[in-house]
Amino acid sequence: MDTSIISRAEHDEFCRRLEAEHKRLAAEDNRQNHRIDTLEEKVEQIGALVTSVEKLALNMEIMANELKQQGERLESLEARDGENWRKAVGHIVTVVIGAMIGFICTRIGL
């Protein structure tokens, strides 16, 4: 059985080394905790950004549908105005032709 006894100086040196190692590990823990906190903040920011992009995409889809509907309504309005103009011109041409035929008929005695 080994009953070696260590001196007080060796014991004190061992305690200093343990305390130094403990301080080093505590400092490393603090650095790692700071890095983890920073990562958690970044993950939260990315999550908020993803949510914002999803909302933006949804709004863009709604706007695209609305724009398509407005385009269809505009085309129908433009077609209706063109139709009305063509009808008006047709009526005017009919009246002028009718007046000319009436004038010709009165000249020839009908």
Side-chain angles (χ1 to χ4, degrees):
M1 177 169 219
D2 188 19
T3 58
S4 57
I5 299 175
I6 60 171
S7 67
R8 183 71 173 163
E10 288 175 327
H11 177 69
D12 289 343
E13 178 64 24
F14 179 75
C15 286
R16 276 193 296 275
R17 286 184 183 183
L18 276 179
E19 287 175 7
E21 181 66 14
H22 178 69
K23 286 180 184 178
R24 186 188 71 77
L25 289 175
E28 186 175 335
D29 286 346
N30 286 337
R31 283 192 304 273
Q32 295 298 332
N33 288 340
H34 178 69
R35 291 178 67 195
I36 289 172
D37 290 342
T38 303
L39 284 173
E40 286 175 347
E41 289 175 12
K42 297 297 181 190
V43 167
E44 287 175 6
Q45 290 174 353
I46 290 171
L49 182 62
V50 166
T51 303
S52 296
V53 168
E54 287 174 350
K55 288 179 182 178
L56 181 62
L58 181 62
N59 286 337
M60 291 294 289
E61 183 179 343
I62 291 169
M63 287 173 54
N65 290 336
E66 182 66 29
L67 186 61
K68 181 181 175 185
Q69 290 174 356
Q70 286 179 357
E72 291 170 357
R73 288 191 304 241
L74 181 62
E75 284 179 15
S76 69
L77 286 173
E78 288 174 345
R80 188 174 65 185
D81 288 343
E83 243 178 67
N84 289 340
W85 176 252
R86 283 189 293 277
K87 284 180 184 177
V89 169
H91 290 306
I92 291 171
V93 168
T94 303
V95 167
V96 168
I97 291 174
M100 288 173 52
I101 291 175
F103 179 73
I104 292 172
C105 285
T106 57
R107 285 290 191 186
I108 58 174
L110 290 176

